[in-house]
Amino acid sequence: MSINIKDVLKKYTMVFALIAVIIFFHAMTGGKMLLPQNVNNLISQNAYVFVLAAGMLLCILTGGNIDLACGSVVCFIGGIGAVIMDKNIGFVFAVIVMLVGGILVGAWQGYWIAYVKVPPFIATLAGMYAFRGLSNVVLQGYTVGIRNEAFLKIFGGGADCYIPDLFGSGSFNMTCLLLGIVLVVIYIVTTMKGRISARAKGYDIPPMYSVLIKMIIISVAVIWFFFKLANYKGIPTSLIWIGIVLLAYAYITTNTTMGRYLYAVGGNEKATTLSGIDSRKVYFFAYVNMGLMSGLAGILTVARATQAQPTFGQGYEMDAIAACFIGGASAYGGEGNIFGIVIGALLMGVINMGMSIMGVEANYQKVVKGIVVLVAIIFDVLSNKKKK
Amino acid sequence: MSDYILEMNHITKEFSGVKALDDVNLKVKKGEIHGLCGENGAGKSTLMNVLSGVYPYGTYSGDIVYKGETCKFKDLKESEAKGIVIIHQELALSPLLSVAENVFIGNEQTSMKGVIDWTATRKKAQEMLAKVGLEHEDVNVPVNSLGVGKQQLIEIAKAMAKKVDLLILDEPTAALNDEESKKLLDIMLELKNHGVTSIIISHKLNELEYVCDALTIIRDGHTIETLNKGVDEFTEDRVIKGMVGREMTNRYPVREGVELGKVIFEVNNWNVYHPDDGERQMIRNINISVRAGEVVGLAGLMGAGRTEFAMSLFGKSYGQKISGTVKINGQEVHLNSVKDAIDSKLAYVSEDRKTYGLVLIDDIKHNMTMAALRKFFSKKGVVNANDEIVSAEEYKKRINVKANSIEQTVGSLSGGNQQKVVLAKWMLTQPDVLILDEPTRGIDVGAKYEIYCVINDLAKAGKAVIVISSEMQEIIGTCDRVYVINEGEIAGELNKDEVSQEKIMQCIMAHNRKGGE
C-alpha cells in the first residue's frame, strides 16, 4: 500500500484549510491570534458548538436530518436548571433534571420524526418555537442568576474556571502540560498496538513512514496546544466535558452497532430496513441523543454565563449544523465523523475569533461565516458528483 | 414511395461491451398496430429507447428512417417534435396535478408567453379525453383520484395532445385488469381508424393477437421474424416458438452429488393484499415447499407477483392482510419483521441490489456484515471489528469478489461484484433458506456463471434455495423444480425432466385464459 499525496490532500482538506486560516489570522492580527489566552478562549467560548455538533452529527448521519430546536432547548433546559438552583435545591438534582429533561425533549421530537414520519425539519422547527416560548415561561422573562459554587466549578462557571495545578503555583501550569504528554503517550501506544496486532493477523497496513508522519504531526499539535493552555491558566473545565463527549461519540460512531446503523440508514434506508434493522429506532436514538447533548450544552452555557436568560442559545443550532457540514458530514447522510466536526467547529471558532480580534464589524462576520459554509457544501456536492 | 412509416435498419446498441441489440431491423407500415414481443431482457425497451432518442444518435449504430427521412434524434424532445411519442410502463403523470394539467404538461396552452390559458387548457383537455373514450371525465380532479386504467388512457390523451403520428406503448396493460385492458386495446383500434400508427410491447400474447396487424419477435437482441396477420400463422403457440426457440449452451455449471433432504421450507395458503389497496389481492393461495439441498425456481413474467410473494414472506416487507403459514425446519414460524425472518434463518436477496441491497457509499466489509452484525459480529452493542475483517476477507475470497480490498466502496464495483457482496451479506446471516430474487439481473455472463456456482455450493451445503428469475433459461438451467407463477397464483409446477420454456409459457397462457373467462 502506498500513500497518494492527492488522496491525503483530499481527505484532510479541511485540516489544511484550518491551518491556512490560523496562519492568515496570525499574520493579520500581529500574532495575537495564538496568544495562550486566545487559544484558551477558543475552547471555552465554543464548548457548546462541540457538544451540540456531536449530537447533530448523529442526526445528520441518518440522512442529512437536522435539529433546528437545539438552540431553544439549550435555553429551556438551562432555564429549568437555573430556576431549580435559585430555589436552593441541590445542584446534583438540578443537573439530573436538566439531563433527563434533555432526553425527554429529544424523545418528544424523536417520536414524531421516527414513528409518525414528520419531516425532521418541520418537527424541530416546531420545537424551536415551542421551547423558546417555554424558556420564557420558565424564566418568566427574567434573567435568573446562578450562585451554586459547586455547579459553577464543575461546569466551567464564570468563564474563568480551570483544573487546579497540582504542582503548586507559578505562571506555568505543569499539570496541564503533563496531561498533554500523557494523552500523547496513550495515543502512540494504542496506535502502535493496533498496528502490531493488525500485522500479526495479516491485514494490510499502511507504510510505517506515513504512520510516523501522522503520529508526529498529531503529537506536536497536542503538546503545542496544552503548552499554550499551560501558559495561561491551565485546562478550562469545559475542555474536560468536550473531551468526554468527543471521545464517547467517536467510540459510538465507530465501534458500536448503533453507530454502524446510523451510517447505514443514511446511506440507504431501504436496504438497511431489509437487513433487519428497524430504522425507526435509529432515528429515535439520534434525536433522543441530540436532546441529551442539548441538555449538556444547556448546562455548560448557563454555567459559563453564571445565569440563564430567555435569549440564550439563539443561533446555536446553526453553529452546530455548520460545524458538521464544514467538517465533511454529507448533507445527504451516511458520511461524516467526529474528527471532522472538531475541525469544523475549530474552523468556525477561529474565523469568529480572528475577525473579532481584527475588529471586523459583526455584520460582516456573519457574511464571511455564510460564505465559509456555502463553500464547504459546494465542495461536498462537487466531490459527490465526481464519484458518480 | 414506401408504405412504411418507420424503418429501423441494422440497429446495434452496446452497453459497456455487451450487445443489447445486434443488427435489429424493424419495419412498421403506416396506419398499422405493430406488436413487439420477446422475453424480458431481449431488447424491446432498448429498441424503443433508441427510436425515441432516449439513447441519442451516435450511441448506437444503424439508421432510423421515419416518414422517408433519416432521423438523428438527440433527445426525447426531438422525436416528439416529429410526432413519435413513447408511453412507458411507469406512468409519467404528476399525481397531484389535475387531469387537464397533466394532459398538457410540458406542452402548456398559453395565452401570452408563460401564462397558462386555463379555459383553453380545460376545453382542449376535454377534446383529447373524448378521443380516448373518457369524454365524461372531470378534467379538474387530480390524476391520482382515478384508477390505473384511466391514468393509462390519460397518458394516451397526453400523447394525442402532442399531435402524435407514431405512438409507442411499453406494456400498457401490465397493471390493468382484463376489462381495463380490453378498453385500452379498443381505443388503440379506434386510434388506428384515425390514422395513428402504434407500436405495442406486451407479454400478453392474446392481446397482441387481438390488436396487432404485424408482430416482430426479438430474442437476445436479434430480430427473429416478423409475422403478418392474414399472411403468416398468427397464434400464441407460433409466437412462443419464435420467442424461446434457441439452443441451450453450457451456461450453467452442473450440480452433482447433492442429496435432497427433508422439506425444510414450507408455505401454505399464502394470501397477500396490495399495500395501498386492501381490496386488491396480489397473492392468492400459494403453497410451496422446498427440500434441503434443493433449488426451486419461481418462473413467471414480470409483474406476476413473485417478488411480492417473496417480500411478504420476508418479515412482511410487502403488502397487508397477509395470511397463511410458514414452516422452517418443520416448525411453524411467525415472521412479523425482517429481524424475525433472519432469526428464523430465512434470507432474501432483493432483485434490486442498488435500492434494496447495498449502501453504495459504504465499503465492502460493512455491507457484507450489515445483516449479521447484530447476531454474529457484536457483543452488547459493540462491534467486533476484527471478526468482521476476517469474515469479509474470507467471503471475498470464497465467492471471488474482485476488488482491491474489503475497504473499497461498493458503489465503485461492477454489477456482478456488487451482487456477490449482497450474496455474501446474506450468507453471513447463516440462513437455511435463501430466496434469490433475480440474482443475475444486469450482470455479465462470467459473473452469472460464478453466481450459479455459489447457488450450487449453497445447495451442496444443504440449504433450501429459491430462485426467482424472469429469464426462463436461467430457471431451467439452475433449478431442480419450478413453480410457475402468474397473476399471484401458482399456474403450474414442473419437474426438472419436464421443464422447458414452452411448458412454462403454456402454463402462463393456460392460466391467463382461465382468468380471462
Side-chain angles (χ1 to χ4, degrees), chain B residues 99 126 129 133-141 146 150 154:
Chain B
V99 171
Q126 207 87 54
L129 288 187
L134 291 178
E135 54 271 23
H136 301 301
E137 217 54 55
D138 181 358
V139 297
N140 296 311
V141 298
L146 305 176
K150 281 184 181 167
I154 286 167

Side-chain angles (χ1 to χ4, degrees), chain A residues 197 201 203-204 251 254-258 260-261 263-277 281 333-335 384 387, chain B residues 311 314 317 338-339 342 348 350 354-359 361-362 366 369-371 373-374 378 381-383 386 388-390 405 425-426:
Chain A
S197 86
K201 287 183 182 129
Y203 305 152
D204 262 356
Y251 186 77
T254 53
N255 288 315
T256 65
T257 49
M258 185 47 93
R260 187 68 59 77
Y261 296 161
Y263 285 92
V265 167
N268 186 343
E269 186 179 348
K270 287 177 188 158
T272 309
T273 312
L274 269 184
S275 300
I277 296 151
K281 281 187 189 156
E335 274 177 300
N384 271 327
K387 263 185 237 162
Chain B
M311 286 185 68
F314 192 60
S317 299
V338 175
K339 187 166 163 280
I342 294 173
Y348 167 71
S350 164
K354 286 190 176 169
T355 314
Y356 294 107
L358 295 166
V359 179
I361 56 172
D362 211 340
H366 289 173
T369 57
M370 187 154 84
L373 197 66
R374 179 175 48 85
S378 63
V382 177
V383 177
N386 286 338
E388 219 184 348
I389 295 171
V390 172
S405 81
K425 166 176 152 184
W426 288 106

